[in-house]
Amino acid sequence: TLGERLNTALDGVRGSGNLTEDQVKKVTREIRLALLEADVNYGVVKEFVSNVRERATGAEVSKALSPGQQVVKIVDEELANLMGGTAHKLTFASRPPTVVMLAGLNGHGKTTTAGKLALFVRKLGKSPYLIACDTYRPAAIDQLQQIGRELNVPVYTEGTEPTPEDIAERGLKAARDGGYDFVIVDTAGRQVLDADMMEELKRVRGRIKPHSVMLVLDVVTGQNAVEVAQAFQEYADFDGMVLTKLDGDARGGAALSVVKVTGRPVRFASEGEKMSEFDYFYPDRMAGRILG
Amino acid sequence: AEFRDAGDEEFWERVEEILISSDVGVNTTAKLVAELEQEALEKNITSSDQLRKLMIEHAARMLEGPVELDISRKPTVVLMVGVNGTGKTTTIGKLVNYLPGEVMLAAGDTFRAAAIEQLQTWGERTGAPVVARQRGADAAAVAHEAVEAAQQQNADVLLVDTAGRLHTKINLMAELEKVRRVIERRIPDAPHEVLMTVDATTGQNGLRQVKMFAESVGVTGIILTKLDGTAKGGIALAIANETGIPIKMISVGEKVGDLHPFDAREFAEALFG
Ligand SMILES: Nc1nc2c(ncn2[C@@H]2O[C@H](COP(=O)(O)OP(=O)(O)OP(=O)(O)O)[C@@H](O)[C@H]2O)c(=O)[nH]1
Ligand SMILES: Nc1nc2c(ncn2[C@@H]2O[C@H](COP(=O)(O)OP(=O)(O)OP(=O)(O)O)[C@@H](O)[C@H]2O)c(=O)[nH]1
Ligand SMILES: [Mg+2]
Ligand SMILES: [Mg+2]
């Protein structure tokens, strides 16, 4: 753990005086390595470490905690500040239906998330409605329909011929007419370097003016998470993230990086392939995971 | 002579930044930098342009490995494995186009919604017959039936799709081992290739994924997918460095032609592009 590594780095320091510059150098090196190994973005790490260095330099060596524990405490606090304190609960549109659009890279878990979110809001008393706007991936619509059947949630589809924005717009109308109050729009996976696909996403969003856009991001994402998030912010202006595959053992530094750089919180955690394995994201659980 | 004098510190920081920002990871980056420093010292190389060329050389060397797929048996059985969403099913579809001879597919993902239909769509597109059962069927049973069918129909290659799974799920890894055993029982030295898809956007966890899958079912080659994105796929270097498992192919898009044999030199150059 980071605590162990820091204690080793500060071996021999006892409760007297302040942390010396050399000791601070040693600990910031350990922190930097730990964060980079956890996939925290290179630039974010640089800034984070300099903040910790500032706080640690001249910090009074406590009698109660070992110097290593003290630094861990500083790091924990800085991480907690970064991730944002409490869970960001769902808000609903003042005039129903609430429309949520899901976007993200290929294979990160959007379609599965669509089902999970539908189940989640139904437990909150809403009547969910799914719209299938992935007109590219083979059997993508089939996938959402099977999920819909399994959950007994209606799925709007027009097949793969019309444009996603047309399907979304007409699907939204159908949801309104049907009296559904929570609409979830599943979109195709896309790469941010694909300008046409990013423009398409912008069009879909423009057409349905969603109450919320969520970036669905796989927790194993590495250093390019920031670049990806910034592009989705530019084209889709997402207001929150769904962090997926948290049932794995990826440290999740991408989450920290994206929150820091975009200022958007992680709203939901997907922790398995089952529809029920989905809940609000609690930021404080992330710090320990990242530090390893 | 101290090579890394003040004037060169910037160069080394930049090299480190490029490598780490490409997901090469701390350990493999340190190894590459140490190798480079050593050789630069020995050969008295100081120009950053020459150093960059040397770096590409070292990275390429680390990545070099056998990229051919062994398709000499009839049928050659290829097991496709990997974590959820990394591109297994799509890669299988592309492989039908890429490989010579008669290719058959096994819809071994009996778990996920529309997994079978997704593979069947690829089968229709490429003209490859698909052996499938209903969703929820035993994956090993489908594999067994497919190997039998491939033998009976004289297929050249059988591509076996499997459900995505996290290496942390012991029961799912056990299921994969069972699928492998069932294939082995039918054809003693099969599967002849166990290809694992790794998403190029994966960070350091990619290394762990490969190690765990290799431990479980043995991986004969890596297919690095989604290289058409912003990720440089530097995790390939960490994988090559720490596991020695060859990177055999790269996937650069969703279309059937977007699959190519891995070129270590090209990849290393793109990394420092
Ligand atoms: N273990 C685990 N698997 C997940 C989770 N969320 C999604 N998956 C799996 O990840 C894979 C991809 O999920 P999809 O929902 O198809 O991803 P997608 O983003 O819609 O994919 P594209 O539409 O192709 O971009 C599937 O195998 C899912 O079952 C999760 O939280 N944990
Ligand atoms: N941009 C891009 N997308 C890719 C590439 N390879 C696969 N994909 C996409 O990634 C998504 C997931 O691909 P799948 O083939 O379903 O992945 P999988 O590993 O079979 O997924 P599971 O079976 O759910 O574990 C789909 O949207 C594919 O079109 C690639 O090289 N580039
Ligand atoms: Mg999808
Ligand atoms: Mg698949």
Side-chain angles (χ1 to χ4, degrees), chain A residues 104-113 116 134 137 140 143 186-190 216 243-247 270-273 277, chain B residues 84-85 111-112 164 166 169 254:
Chain A
L105 298 177
N106 301 78
H108 280 221
K110 296 173 294 299
T111 306
T112 309
T113 294
K116 292 174 179 221
D134 181 349
R137 170 173 156 155
Q143 185 185 4
D186 184 24
T187 63
R190 68 203 67 223
V216 176
L243 205 55
T244 64
K245 307 178 202 172
L246 276 162
D247 44 322
S270 176
E271 300 168 300
E273 290 189 81
E277 291 167 321
Chain B
N84 306 71
F111 172 77
R112 206 205 70 210
L166 294 182
K169 306 270 168 87
E254 300 182 75

Side-chain angles (χ1 to χ4, degrees), chain A residues 7-266:
Chain A
N7 276 324
T8 309
L10 291 176
D11 194 32
V13 177
R14 293 283 171 267
S16 63
N18 301 341
L19 281 177
T20 68
E21 195 176 316
D22 193 59
Q23 287 160 349
V24 171
K25 206 173 182 191
K26 279 203 181 118
V27 297
T28 53
R29 180 175 180 276
E30 287 305 319
I31 293 164
R32 182 171 176 272
L33 288 178
L35 293 178
L36 288 176
E37 285 167 5
D39 295 324
V40 179
N41 180 270
Y42 190 87
V44 172
V45 171
K46 216 168 180 177
E47 190 176 330
F48 185 88
V49 167
S50 104
N51 290 341
V52 170
R53 180 181 302 125
E54 220 171 297
R55 283 190 59 183
T57 305
E60 185 84 20
V61 178
S62 135
K63 301 232 175 3
L65 302 171
S66 74
Q69 286 173 326
Q70 245 183 300
V71 178
V72 170
K73 188 160 170 294
I74 292 173
V75 173
D76 268 336
E77 287 170 6
E78 288 294 320
L79 276 180
N81 283 338
L82 254 185
M83 286 307 292
T86 53
H88 291 251
K89 306 270 162 141
L90 257 182
T91 61
F92 302 102
S94 46
R95 260 180 71 243
T98 298
V99 181
V100 176
M101 183 175 90
L102 301 178
L105 298 177
N106 301 78
H108 280 221
K110 296 173 294 299
T111 306
T112 309
T113 294
K116 292 174 179 221
L117 185 58
L119 181 63
F120 187 83
V121 301
R122 194 163 61 201
K123 290 179 184 163
L124 297 176
K126 299 293 172 192
S127 56
Y129 191 85
L130 293 162
I131 302 182
C133 291
D134 181 349
T135 55
Y136 302 92
R137 170 173 156 155
I141 294 171
D142 213 324
Q143 185 185 4
L144 193 63
Q145 285 176 318
Q146 285 190 24
I147 288 172
R149 262 197 300 278
E150 185 185 329
L151 299 174
N152 202 14
V153 173
V155 176
Y156 183 88
T157 172
E158 288 185 25
T160 60
E161 287 311 307
T163 66
E165 56 267 38
D166 283 346
I167 297 168
E169 188 172 42
R170 293 193 285 257
L172 181 53
K173 174 161 192 315
R176 280 205 180 96
D177 293 348
Y180 295 94
D181 61 9
F182 200 97
V183 178
I184 300 158
V185 180
D186 184 24
T187 63
R190 68 203 67 223
Q191 295 298 324
V192 304
L193 291 182
D194 189 333
D196 291 336
M197 288 300 280
M198 296 307 281
E199 283 297 338
E200 174 191 278
L201 189 64
K202 199 173 185 183
R203 284 198 301 277
V204 176
R205 180 174 148 253
R207 203 70 79 78
I208 57 175
K209 306 208 174 6
H211 174 75
S212 158
V213 175
M214 291 212 275
L215 174 66
V216 176
L217 189 73
D218 189 331
V219 71
V220 301
T221 308
Q223 293 285 322
N224 73 325
V226 165
E227 190 174 356
V228 166
Q230 287 177 319
F232 275 100
Q233 190 164 38
E234 180 186 344
Y235 284 89
D237 194 17
F238 68 91
D239 50 79
M241 277 174 276
V242 178
L243 205 55
T244 64
K245 307 178 202 172
L246 276 162
D247 44 322
D249 56 6
R251 303 261 293 273
L256 183 80
S257 309
V258 175
V259 168
K260 168 79 172 83
V261 175
T262 65
R264 300 286 179 254
V266 176

